[in-house]
């Protein structure tokens, strides 16, 4: 037991010399020197060239910059543009072109912040690659790749977000002059939010309602020049600017765009699929499903990002909890590490388990996406609806939990978590928008619910479902009234497979409850749509249970891939903790559906406490295994060497308010006030 | 039913003309012109002179300042000092001296931000008032009241927060020169966090371990001059500065203070209670309980603050949800107000109910505090431990829920909630520190638990408890094994009194479970302290249930004070919603303890949906009743006139990044980059 062993065997590093601990005594897991390396490249990421890419950035003096938190917003934007420009040159200089390596390189140099040219890379270029016809490709891609054309992607409007059909910007074709005339006809139609739109971009891909020959053909994409490519001054009819400060993303110039009779040539409409001919004849695109893929890809990336944001936060909070001493457990003894408090473990260890779970889920979705992309290229769309539904729900499920979790980590660091030097405020404000962008989370949950209800109805009608929802067949049989009494109480709270089964049956039951709620509403003679809205709480709950099941299932499946018994053992403990804590949090569901009994719930509580104590000695090693270097974390509290307090003091002294001993406000306001009273 | 009535009867104001609604049609409640006025002065606050104080600030051109969000941190601090100085002069000019009126005046002029001289008023002056002896009072109070002495209160250290005994700063008495020598002996002993310490204050009350005649007598308070009262330059041995940027509180100079052999005269120790005589003899204070009172007062203020922060957030989110149109419920019909979505109602209406609940709890605690203060002044301390325990738990319970609730409100506003113009980011970052300061929340919960366990043991030993924990007597009888079978299932989910009873029994059961967990640990032969730590999860859970019971009970009690049937009816609906939603969120507890059956839980879900629909027409009126003027909310999304989009555009155009058409970073980095590629 670690409590009786004293503190010396619990802790890998973070040993602050002034606290006079025996230096560098290894905990259980860190005794195995391969653990860190093993978990990192093999379990968490497929690449091992990453550490060399990392060191390229870290050792480069050009990237040592002032803490962004000390700068004004305009200076932060300035610093971000500078970094983006430097990075582009460095990547060329080093000849880095592999996408994974580029991603890694950018992650390190960005730290917890965003890239000024983010949308140029993530949206403008990919849209050109996929939606230009041959002539357009030859014209625009070289311009964009040489950054002559700096671009963004302008979809969301001031009054319209999630509901794309509601967008109001118009592009009206004039066959006489062979141009499209673009307009923002109302205040609510002003483009709003696109990153890089305010000051950086000289072009935007604008989504607008296409009107030609007196008819509206819905949303299409147009390349709209915004600023002169020589002077960067906005072009006539283009009202463009920054939308003002936000909760985070301080270094990004999210912008607005009001179009006033802006005329662009016909070939500025992206014409790989849909077309407008010279005389104004509209040619329909072959399939509407093609845009699904990108959404699925971005959402699966966000799931991985949830894992990373939470992993960073856990790294900071768990390391700091091992440095921080507070209060007393036993009177008269020295103040213990706050990591020794059961309440602190209960806050942080389930989040640590969640971070591992989401990293594995992110990997899985990435693999599935790549597999399905292969199928799609061969014309097989069969798995796409399922993946689309799954990616929507998992994006919502993981971003909500991770956002809350980051704040729990921050508050677990006490007052110091509130300082910008902890990095936790930055991680939070830069991650939490994922709950809203790329599909608002509640809307995403309801999309998944739509797929679940459809599948449930198919199963009820006797269809055999395949894929992840196949359990709805099974449950349809199991949950028949006649078989209820014969259903055995199967759950063994010490067995992960049995818990996965319990999560599955919970999901099945909640999907059934939601479907029945809709049915009941319909019996009140309301419309399908109102019945859906009046059951929305149940539908979100069903989606949530479905996603939770998928995460537990994938975590359990991942364990099967791990050969080493030591690593397998500790990750099994994490997986069990993840599953049991979810049951405790949703104990009402498990009791209500008869999947667990009251005595079993007490067992769950007891087992959870044992698991916390069991994980305690390995907690620091488990966050070290995420392998975030200090330069990436940029957190004084999360420093690898644990030398927190000296560096907090040093950081504070660099605060802009300390540039002068006496702030000018003293002379301007306080001294005159004293003189008047 | 509001859905079939169409949109015109649901909405008091916020009618955006461009959306072409019929103007100003009153909803059910707003038909009663007295409603707003009635709820405001009589139910929510005891004062009616407030609106005149409010208008004093609003009409004063001196207080019309630039949005703080557009300024750098140094400019924000500058603006806050300016405002504080102006405010002091204005209060004198207008002759405002009533504390409630001062509070109101400050609330309006502060908006969602903090006061530069906050700690001078809230900690420095009150400490002088209560802990100076007669001579000290005569010297220091006039200096402080005329702002010659600008002060703060320096307790927390870099390495020490909650655990006061751990503070390391020393004050050693030297009888030869009759001075105290103050020192920060370690890096962890540097004072850290006090507001106004960095740049504003020229004095601090410093908490330090008193050493005299070779003995340490624990923490005492000393007045330490920090800066010259003429030049404001730090005095010799005083290393003082700003601790750097934080998550919020940008306009406050939270500071650090390192003391290096700073010598202060003997009479700078606050000597109303404890004393050090000229020869170094230490004289003990008469009672240690006296400091309890201040803590109780501040924590009860924080509970009220939780209600206010949540009320502001609900006002913004509910008004905006009535302005924003999105997606479709029925195909082909216009986009509905997002307030019509059941999921949106489920996010916001329980929070609206919570805001009302916390306002009532804040009022109650304030009343109890004032009553008990009277008792204390007559030497009766009997109710203090209970109130102390209650204030600790309720502070934690309400600040956690309110913090989460503010973020739910923010995200319920979609992307625009992320803009600083929504005011929701400011409300969050300036409120969330209450979870940490004045007692870290988990520690607070455990303090309440200590009182509950002590009371439970007394009840078990046959003592008759009084006050709020008297239910532990009752439950002790009820929960005896022999009586379990005879306990009737009493809960009626439509009856608030019955639900209060259910919350009470849940609390009793969870206190019992926690006490048993400690007992079981002790049977494993661990120490009392380890048994406590190993049961901490259960203890926090018990405290949480106790606080939840108190809030539901007080909300129900408040209804008894409301005579008007219309107001009584709508507030009863809110109270029922509050109670039922809590049951749904903690359904596991209610099922586990046998207080509710599975069919009753389905009734709860059904009833909740009905209550949401019932509240829908009155939602806007219920937030209007909080009566926050636009100047106090400072939120474009929460504007009373609903004219959101025009004002977002106008606000954005004032963003500092829009001061020039082309940002300098284009010339510095982008143009050179384009030239190189």
């Amino acid at each position: 037991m670690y409590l009786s062993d004293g503190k010396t065997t619990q802790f890998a590093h973070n040993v602050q010399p002034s606290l006079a601990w025996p230096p560098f005594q290894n905990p259980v897991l860190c005794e195995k020197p391969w653990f860190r390396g093993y978990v990192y490249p093999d379990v968490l990421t497929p690449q091992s060239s990453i550490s060399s890419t990392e060191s390229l950035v870290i050792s480069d003096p050009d990237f040592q910059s002032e803490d962004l938190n000390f700068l004004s917003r305009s200076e932060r934007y300035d610093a971000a543009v500078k970094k983006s420009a430097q990075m582009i040159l460095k990547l060329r200089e080093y000849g880095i072109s592999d996408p994974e390596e580029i991603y890694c390189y950018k992650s390190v140099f960005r730290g917890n912040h965003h890239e000024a040219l983010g949308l140029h890379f993530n949206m403008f270029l990919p849209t050109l690659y996929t939606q230009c016809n041959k002539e357009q490709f030859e014209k625009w891609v070289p311009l964009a790749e040489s950054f002559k054309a700096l671009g963004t992607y302008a979809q969301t409007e001031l009054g319209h977000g999630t509901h794309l059909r509601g967008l109001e910007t118009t592009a009206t074709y004039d066959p006489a002059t062979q141009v499209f005339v673009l307009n923002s006809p109302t205040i609510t139609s002003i483009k709003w939010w696109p990153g890089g739109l305010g000051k950086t971009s000289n072009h935007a891909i604008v989504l607008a309602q296409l009107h030609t020959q007196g008819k509206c053909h819905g949303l299409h994409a147009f390349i709209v020049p915004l600023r002169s490519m020589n002077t960067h001054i906005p072009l006539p009819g283009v009202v463009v600017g920054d939308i003002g400060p936000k909760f985070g993303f301080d270094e990004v110039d999210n912008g607005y765009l009001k179009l006033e009779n802006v005329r662009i040539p016909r070939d500025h409409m992206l014409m790989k699929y849909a077309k407008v001919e010279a005389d104004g004849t509209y040619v329909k695109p072959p399939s509407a499903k093609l845009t699904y893929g990108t959404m699925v890809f971005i959402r699966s990336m966000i799931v991985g990002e949830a894992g990373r944001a939470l992993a960073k936060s856990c790294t900071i909070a768990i390391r700091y909890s091992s440095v921080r001493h507070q209060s007393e457990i036993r009177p008269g003894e020295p103040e213990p590490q706050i990591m020794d408090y059961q309440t602190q473990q209960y806050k942080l260890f389930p989040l640590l388990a969640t971070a591992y779970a989401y990293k594995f889920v992110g990997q899985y979705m990435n693999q599935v996406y790549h597999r399905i992309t292969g199928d799609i290229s061969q014309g097989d769309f069969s798995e796409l609806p399922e993946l689309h539904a799954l990616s929507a729900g998992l994006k919502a499920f993981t971003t909500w939990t991770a956002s809350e979790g980051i704040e729990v980590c921050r508050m677990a660091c006490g007052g110091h978590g509130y300082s910008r030097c902890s990095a936790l405020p930055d991680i939070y404000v830069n991650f939490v928008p994922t709950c809203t962008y790329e599909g608002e989370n509640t809307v995403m949950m309801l999309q998944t619910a739509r797929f679940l209800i459809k599948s449930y109805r198919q199963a009820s009608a006797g269809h055999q479902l395949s894929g992840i929802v196949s359990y709805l067949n099974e449950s349809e049989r199991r949950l028949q009234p006649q078989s209820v009494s014969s259903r055995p109480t199967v759950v063994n709270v010490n067995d992960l497979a049995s818990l996965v089964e319990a999560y599955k049956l919970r999901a099945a039951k909640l999907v059934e409850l939601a479907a029945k709620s809709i049915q009941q509403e319909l019996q009140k003679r309301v419309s399908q749509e109102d019945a859906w809205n009046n059951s929305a709480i149940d539908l979100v709950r069903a989606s949530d249970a479905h996603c939770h099941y998928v995460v537990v299932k994938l975590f359990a499946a991942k364990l099967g891939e791990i050969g080493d018994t030591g690593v397998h053992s500790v990750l099994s403990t994490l997986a069990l903790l993840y599953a049991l804590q979810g049951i405790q949090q949703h104990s009402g569901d498990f009791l209500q559906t008869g999947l667990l009994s009251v005595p079993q719930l007490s067992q769950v509580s007891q087992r959870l406490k044992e698991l916390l104590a069991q994980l305690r000695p390995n907690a620091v090693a488990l966050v070290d295994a995420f392998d975030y270097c200090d330069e990436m974390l940029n957190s004084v509290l999360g420093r690898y060497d644990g030398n927190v307090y000296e560096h907090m003091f040093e950081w504070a002294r660099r605060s802009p308010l300390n540039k002068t001993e006496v702030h000018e406000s003293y002379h301007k306001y306080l001294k005159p006030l004293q003189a008047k009273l």
Side-chain angles (χ1 to χ4, degrees), chain A residues 467-485:
Chain A
I468 201 108
V469 288
S470 59
Y471 67 86
L472 292 172
N473 281 313
E474 201 182 328
S475 71
E476 180 58 22
R477 284 193 298 278
R478 282 221 204 198
L479 299 170
Q480 290 302 322
Q482 63 271 29
S483 66
V484 164
S485 57

Side-chain angles (χ1 to χ4, degrees), chain A residues 636-657:
Chain A
V636 176
L637 300 191
R639 290 176 64 89
Y640 187 76
D641 67 5
N643 210 345
V644 167
Y645 298 119
E646 276 89 347
H647 285 91
M648 276 190 81
F649 192 36
E650 194 187 281
W651 182 86
R653 298 191 91 156
R654 301 205 319 266
S655 167
L657 281 190

